[in-house]
Each structure stands twice: as structure tokens, then as C-alpha cells.
Amino acid sequence: MKIVQVEAFPLCLPMKRDFAISGGKVGDRAKGAPHVYVRITDEEGYTGWGEARPSHRWSEETLETVVTTVRNYLAPALAGQEVEDVEGASRQMQGEIRGGMTLGQPIAKAAVDTALHDLIGKRRGQSLAQIWLRRPCFTIPLSYLISTRSPEEAAKLARQAKEEGYRGVDVKIGSDPRRDVEIVEAVRGEAGDLFFRVDANQGYTLSQARYVVRELVRLGVDVLEQPLAAHDWTGHAALRRQSDLPIALDESVWTAGHVMQAIRLEACDMVVVKLTKMGGLQEAKRCGEIAAAAGLQLLGGGLTESSIGLAASAHLFHELGIDTPVDLNGPFFLAEDPVREPIIVQNGEALLPAGPGHGCTVEMKALKKLAWSGDGT
Ligand SMILES: [Mg+2]
């Protein structure tokens, strides 16, 4: 059975609230969020859907580059390929857009790879878990995202996280070390018993990070994520040697090669697995398995994807045995989601759709209504 069409649909999804990290705003309530849905159709008319959620404040991909990458490069490369040959499709995509430090447009490739897995699931009547020969997964615990420059607001949000039944918090820091410590302290006062993940998104110099690490140890934080620039392997290794605080790498680790480098240099204790930055389910699964085999712990993350990206990521995290609350924050930020039954969050857990593939069904009417103005290119 062959692939006959690969399409990209640029969308603007309304947001309930702004979202900022140390690099700047990654989501804007006034402008909405850039998402690109991808549909793959086979010879018998079966379809599978995937999603990209680029953010130029997080990496170099934009809505426009995802759309042109899919339409002008990946779609022609995959037309006529076998639907069931996921590894072949991955090789075809890596060959069409070569990688360097990353796989080469991994967020665009991830949307296509997810759509292909969904299509295989829809054809076989099997969920992603069944395709991987695992028992299905129906819920996944989420971490509550706290992104603010105000300690008072951080304390309020931490209280809310506890009241709503979350088992973990993820606090965004990386701007001003002293203020960051005050924010973490405020969260600890209200929710110190939850899984406590702190993410600097490459915001510090080594000397700033050394100060913050000392304070975070005092505050009982469970893990500090990406304190230094993505390329600073030796800096992260030096930080690890300084204290017992576990260090996680996220923006440093895009490929299986990066996982190997982190292992060789003993640069981290944990690796953040993300479907999108790693170029899709196939490659992200490989990265997670290599890291786990080397004794590294895995954390799950996302880029505020809507239901499709969330469900696909959740299935992957389940497959990889990730048991800490994960950063899949789409429902926290998005006011609309163009699938028939958007994923809901109850007691800090996302309730995942049952059904073949990732389980989500796209509503074409909603997709049209939420189309990005212009063609996105
Ligand atoms: Mg991160």
C-alpha cells in the first residue's frame, strides 16, 4: 500500500494565556499559536494525521518553514513510498533534508512521521501501543507549568497545582538568577512535595548556573533542566560534578548522536525526550532507548502541542516507561483544538483517546475555521 499524498495545513490556534521562556514569548494570547497539521493519504483513501508546533524563540523552525519543508521536500520524497515502511520513510526524509546539529527540520519531519504512524494504526485498527506490542495507555500524569517573574504569582500557581491534583510542577527560570531562586523558593513553600522540575532553557552562564545549583539543592529541587547553552557539553558535565542535583539536557539533545555524546561526556543525569525536536516517534524512541540503556533517566516534554501531538507523545512516553509527570501543556494554553474530542485534563492527568493510531479524529470544519491567514509560506 503506497502513500499518495502528504499535505500541510497551517493553523492559528487561539490561546487562553501567554507563554514565555527565557528566550522570550513562545505563545501569544493576542496572536494565537502557530501549528501545522499534516495529513497523509494512501491509495485506498485511509488517512493519518500529525502535528508540528514550531516556535522561533525555542528553535529555528517557524510555521512557514514547516509548511514549505513538508510541501516542497518531504511530500514529493514520500509520494509512492510504502505506508508500512516507517524506517524507510525516515531515511527518505533524512536524505531529502540533511541534518547537521539537528536532524534537519526535525519539527516538520516529526509531523510527517506521526501522521505515518497514525495512518498505519488506522489501517490496522490498532493504537500506537498495539503497533509497538505494548498494553495501551489511557492517562498520563502532567506537570503544572509555572512561568512568571513574580514570586507571589508563582506561589499562587503552585497552590493551584496542588488543589487541581497535579503530581509535579515545572518552573521556568533562566532570566535573573536571584529572582529565579526567589521564584523557586515561593513554589517550594506551596508545592515542595510535588515532583519539582526547574527549566532554565539555556539561560545561564556557567558561574550563574553554579550559584543557582547551590540554591536549588538547598530548596530540594528534583532536577534542573538545560541551565547552559545547548552546545556547552563540558559546562554541563562540570555542573554535574559540582553537586548531586540531577541535570537534564533538553535543547542539547536532538539526535541519537547527541544522546551518545551526553553519555560519553557524562554531561547529564536525565534526557528530555520530545517527539518534535527528535524528528518523530521513530527517532525519539531510538533516542530514549539509547539513553535508558546507558542508565540515564528519561523526562517527557512537548512544545504545547494540541491533542494530536499530546496523544502521540503520551503513547511514546508510556512505551519508554517514563513515570514522572510530563510537560505536555497544550490543554493548559489552547482555547480551541480542531479534533472531535479534545483531550481533557482531570486531577493533573490527561485522559487519552482510545482508538486506532494516536486516537484523535480531526474535524475538517474546525480545521478550516482555524486556518492561518495567508497560506503560511
Ligand atoms: Mg525544556
Side-chain angles (χ1 to χ4, degrees):
M1 187 53 53
K2 297 206 179 342
I3 294 169
V4 292
Q5 197 172 29
V6 181
E7 300 159 277
F9 300 85
L11 306 174
C12 178
L13 301 191
M15 294 189 78
K16 293 185 228 173
R17 46 176 75 89
D18 292 340
F19 180 23
I21 60 172
S22 63
K25 237 184 209 181
V26 290
D28 191 322
R29 197 156 76 100
K31 292 185 187 160
H35 292 243
V36 181
Y37 275 26
V38 167
R39 176 169 65 184
I40 301 185
T41 308
D42 73 11
E43 290 173 298
E44 287 181 349
Y46 281 90
T47 58
W49 287 87
E51 176 188 6
R53 197 319 193 176
S55 168
H56 58 281
R57 297 275 164 68
W58 194 81
S59 78
E60 70 275 17
E61 287 181 85
T62 66
L63 176 131
E64 292 84 354
T65 66
V66 169
V67 171
T68 54
T69 297
V70 173
R71 287 183 183 162
N72 301 345
Y73 298 90
L74 305 182
L78 292 181
Q81 298 291 315
E82 281 298 325
V83 169
E84 295 263 349
D85 185 8
V86 173
E87 185 68 36
S90 177
R91 273 204 294 272
Q92 199 74 24
M93 287 198 282
Q94 310 325 334
E96 189 62 21
I97 297 209
R98 294 278 171 189
M101 286 303 286
T102 72
L103 278 186
Q105 310 297 341
I107 294 178
K109 288 173 180 170
V112 174
D113 170 273
T114 305
L116 191 55
H117 278 82
D118 186 45
L119 173 56
I120 292 168
K122 296 264 160 56
R123 284 196 60 84
R124 294 188 192 173
Q126 291 182 338
S127 68
L128 292 180
Q130 287 169 315
I131 291 173
W132 290 323
L133 305 177
R134 294 276 295 202
R135 71 192 157 77
C137 133
F138 301 108
T139 62
I140 189 160
L142 305 179
S143 59
Y144 189 97
L145 191 82
I146 298 179
S147 172
T148 172
R149 303 309 305 145
S150 152
E152 295 73 31
E153 174 76 3
K156 197 179 114 199
L157 292 170
R159 266 197 305 280
Q160 212 162 308
K162 281 208 77 158
E163 281 163 17
E164 291 180 17
Y166 283 80
R167 282 181 256 156
V169 286
D170 179 15
V171 185
K172 291 288 184 188
I173 57 170
S175 303
D176 166 359
R178 286 187 194 282
R179 176 45 70 104
D180 289 343
V181 170
E182 287 170 17
I183 286 167
V184 174
E185 200 151 21
V187 172
R188 180 189 153 71
E190 300 292 340
D193 53 333
L194 305 186
F195 182 70
F196 203 156
R197 178 172 171 177
V198 171
D199 188 357
N201 289 110
Q202 314 182 63
Y204 297 136
T205 63
L206 183 56
S207 61
Q208 287 175 325
R210 283 200 162 113
Y211 161 75
V212 171
V213 162
R214 277 195 299 274
E215 295 299 308
L216 298 186
V217 168
R218 176 177 68 79
L219 294 169
V221 163
D222 289 304
V223 53
L224 170 61
E225 194 174 317
Q226 199 70 47
L228 307 173
H231 58 78
D232 194 355
W233 299 96
T234 52
H236 284 105
L239 270 187
R240 270 194 79 232
R241 287 194 297 272
Q242 175 192 323
S243 83
D244 291 334
L245 180 67
I247 302 289
L249 290 181
D250 183 1
E251 288 96 321
S252 295
V253 178
W254 296 72
T255 65
H258 291 151
V259 176
M260 294 300 295
Q261 187 73 338
I263 294 165
R264 282 191 205 105
L265 295 174
E266 301 185 353
C268 66
D269 302 278
M270 304 185 190
V271 164
V272 181
V273 178
K274 278 183 185 156
L275 183 60
T276 41
K277 70 172 179 180
M278 290 169 169
L281 291 159
Q282 179 83 347
E283 294 298 327
K285 188 164 169 285
R286 197 184 333 263
C287 289
E289 286 166 350
I290 293 170
L296 298 180
Q297 196 181 324
L298 305 180
L299 294 175
L303 300 175
T304 67
E305 291 90 350
S306 60
S307 293
I308 289 180
L310 193 160
S313 299
H315 285 294
L316 173 70
F317 299 157
H318 177 68
E319 160 72 10
L320 290 170
I322 295 176
D323 57 3
T324 49
V326 297
D327 270 357
L328 293 173
N329 305 308
F332 192 74
F333 290 104
L334 296 174
E336 279 186 66
D337 192 325
V339 297
R340 190 164 300 157
E341 289 173 39
I343 288 176
I344 53 169
V345 177
Q346 257 175 24
N347 295 324
E349 290 192 330
L351 311 183
L352 303 172
H358 46 56
C360 298
T361 305
V362 172
E363 281 289 356
M364 291 309 291
K365 228 163 132 186
L367 203 70
K368 250 184 208 153
K369 185 188 132 209
L370 297 168
W372 192 267
S373 55
D375 68 355
T377 59

